[in-house]
Amino acid sequence: MEISRKITDLTAEAEEKLAPCFRAIDETSFRNTVKIMEAFRRHRVSDSMFGTSSGYGNDDRGREVLDEIWADVMGAEAAFVRVGIVSGTHALTIGLFGLLRPGDILYTIAGKPYDTLEEVIGLCGEPGNGSLRDFGVDYLQTDLNADGTFRTQEIADNLRRHPNIKVVFIQRSKGYLNRKTLSVAEIGDAIKAVRAVRQDVFVVVDNCYGEFVEEREPTDVGADMVIGSLIKNPGGGMAETGGYIAGTKRAVELASYRLTSVGIGTEQGATMGQNKSLYKGLFYAPHTVAQALKTAHLAAYLFEALGYRVEPRWDEPRHDIIQTVITGSAEGLCAFCRGIQQGSPVDAFVNPEPWQMPGYSDRVVMAAGGFTQGSSIELSADGPLREPYTAFFQGGLTYESGRFGIMCAAEATLRDAGK
């Protein structure tokens, strides 16, 4: 795509204004990298841990040590990382089914969870499919305030009113909602409010898109379990697939019984030659997240300057890698995604078209020209075809490639608007 002088000049202006933001991102990346390297040294990582295992995967030292490293890095008592986890939704399903029992209540305190969890919970879909609701788990929801803060009094009242609440669920990222992403500090305050009323509940955080954006993770501030996908932030663009769960020893143990079976848990699981990619991905993760954050800041500046409503704004602090741009129309959303696709390293010749993706109630248009299918840490954008037609943008393995992708998206959107 040919980039106009208007967009190149605006990009140069943006980078000058964003220099302080970029320096702060680099400092966070450095601190998180040191944390990971110290964990590698403490657990005596060696070449022998990059080997493979098959079958049961018994005595796979590389797998065992990686679990220990993940626990340390996430500020947790225990963790497991597995390539057999196919997505963030799969990891969340493992965690929720591991903790909840018939008669329990799943209580979300940050509004509606991500679209793909609706069928898992039983909010939609056919009865009898095996949702939590099918197994006798009820659902309760408290929305955030209009300013994105927790409704702590309502949360406390519900915790007192419903003794069967077993899991308090917090989605850190905005998902497909037009709300702000929650900071680790805000999540920590919410956990304190929960603990002031109930000590017997599990606090679970969907950590997708948030890992290594800050120096702390939700498990550092009291979460019993954090869950995420390796083809988002923590895989560093190196992991081909997989997910993780980290938290308290008991919570992780219960989740591990859902991952495999009761009595086996994390003791088995063949790694089939993927250990090196998982170690390397974790090593790269803080740097790769920094590249994605810089790309998101640039996107916010460019599209705000072009007259679009964005969240977060270009100079606001960030707590995940997602940038939203409200395009205002279905065609505007599709144009944005076409531009991202044209600025991607893979399948740049393809024009994204909306389709009915499994697990989503609305048609979704998605640009995903990455080396790994569905990898959100790579340059990607998507959004449901519903008002206000918001583009959810994330990723960029390198700032240079992300910069080009955003410039292409800006150019495509301008052309669609006739500017």
Side-chain angles (χ1 to χ4, degrees):
M1 174 180 286
E2 183 178 348
I3 306 297
S4 66
R5 181 65 179 269
K6 178 177 182 177
I7 297 300
T8 56
D9 287 349
L10 194 56
T11 301
E13 174 190 306
E15 290 177 325
E16 184 176 346
K17 293 284 184 64
L18 286 167
C21 295
F22 286 6
R23 285 195 293 272
I25 289 169
D26 286 338
E27 181 59 28
T28 300
S29 174
F30 173 74
R31 293 179 184 275
N32 281 325
T33 297
V34 170
K35 179 168 62 175
I36 290 169
M37 292 179 70
E38 287 177 344
F40 276 37
R41 181 173 62 250
R42 186 161 52 249
H43 290 278
R44 305 173 69 87
V45 172
S46 68
D47 186 73
S48 64
M49 295 173 184
F50 303 151
T52 188
S53 61
S54 61
Y56 295 137
N58 288 328
D59 301 319
D60 189 323
R61 186 59 181 154
R63 182 196 67 218
E64 294 169 353
V65 169
L66 186 60
D67 287 350
E68 294 168 1
I69 288 172
W70 266 84
D72 278 5
V73 170
M74 301 303 290
E77 294 176 356
F80 61 80
V81 189
R82 295 294 182 273
V83 294
I85 299 175
V86 303
S87 67
T89 300
H90 184 197
L92 288 161
T93 301
I94 291 169
L96 293 176
F97 271 91
L99 300 179
L100 290 159
R101 301 289 181 268
D104 289 341
I105 296 174
L106 168 63
Y107 181 28
T108 69
I109 64 172
K112 187 177 77 70
Y114 192 67
D115 291 39
T116 56
L117 277 183
E118 291 185 9
E119 287 194 64
V120 175
I121 295 168
L123 302 180
C124 65
E126 293 293 326
N129 281 349
S131 68
L132 287 167
R133 181 158 287 172
D134 283 341
F135 283 90
V137 176
D138 289 327
Y139 176 77
L140 183 66
Q141 176 178 314
T142 290
D143 293 331
L144 295 170
N145 289 312
D147 62 356
T149 57
F150 287 97
R151 297 178 178 176
T152 52
Q153 187 58 57
E154 181 178 333
I155 292 167
D157 290 344
N158 279 330
L159 287 168
R160 294 188 183 97
R161 189 177 299 121
H162 300 281
N164 289 354
I165 290 174
K166 182 69 165 295
V167 169
V168 175
F169 183 81
I170 301 172
Q171 182 172 290
R172 178 176 178 178
S173 179
K174 58 176 61 65
Y176 275 162
L177 299 176
N178 286 301
R179 66 136 166 111
K180 70 171 190 171
T181 293
L182 299 167
S183 69
V184 172
E186 289 171 319
I187 291 171
D189 289 341
I191 293 172
K192 287 179 183 177
V194 170
R195 295 293 181 221
V197 182
R198 295 277 296 275
Q199 296 289 327
D200 61 333
V201 297
F202 292 105
V203 179
V204 177
V205 178
D206 176 355
N207 207 27
C208 289
Y209 303 105
E211 298 92 348
F212 306 121
V213 173
E214 301 183 46
E215 292 180 35
R216 297 186 300 171
E217 301 296 336
T219 26
D220 288 310
V221 294
D224 294 286
M225 182 181 286
V226 294
I227 302 171
S229 165
L230 297 190
I231 59 172
K232 296 182 176 69
N233 301 23
M238 296 298 300
E240 299 286 339
T241 187
Y244 76 91
I245 291 179
T248 63
K249 183 178 179 180
R250 180 57 175 164
V252 172
E253 180 181 45
L254 289 172
S256 76
Y257 292 158
R258 175 71 186 190
L259 172 75
T260 56
S261 71
V262 178
I264 294 178
T266 59
E267 295 300 313
Q268 292 182 345
T271 53
M272 297 179 289
Q274 294 299 307
N275 276 344
K276 180 183 282 190
S277 294
L278 300 188
Y279 276 93
K280 192 183 291 187
L282 180 58
F283 172 77
Y284 274 118
H287 174 75
T288 308
V289 169
Q291 305 305 292
L293 286 171
K294 291 177 182 180
T295 302
H297 274 281
L298 177 64
Y301 191 100
L302 289 185
F303 279 90
E304 188 171 347
L306 293 172
Y308 292 89
R309 187 151 59 94
V310 302
E311 205 286 320
R313 299 186 64 184
W314 68 271
D315 56 348
E316 289 182 329
R318 292 169 185 270
H319 308 296
D320 70 359
I321 64 171
I322 296 176
Q323 176 64 49
T324 65
V325 178
I326 296 179
T327 67
S329 70
E331 183 50 43
L333 173 57
C334 291
F336 183 98
C337 290
R338 284 197 300 270
I340 292 295
Q341 191 73 41
Q342 290 170 344
S344 299
V346 180
D347 290 332
F349 56 91
V350 173
N351 279 328
E353 295 289 343
W355 67 300
Q356 196 68 53
M357 291 181 64
Y360 294 85
S361 56
D362 298 281
R363 287 193 303 153
V364 175
V365 61
M366 179 174 291
F371 295 98
T372 298
Q373 187 182 85
S375 176
S376 300
I377 193 60
E378 300 186 49
L379 192 68
S380 61
D382 53 85
L385 264 69
R386 62 176 181 238
E387 293 184 348
Y389 299 103
T390 303
F392 294 82
F393 167 83
Q394 59 272 318
L397 290 179
T398 68
Y399 172 67
E400 294 80 6
S401 62
R403 178 183 190 265
F404 178 65
I406 280 299
M407 292 171 75
C408 289
E411 194 68 46
T413 309
L414 279 182
R415 292 179 184 177
D416 171 70
K419 296 181 181 179

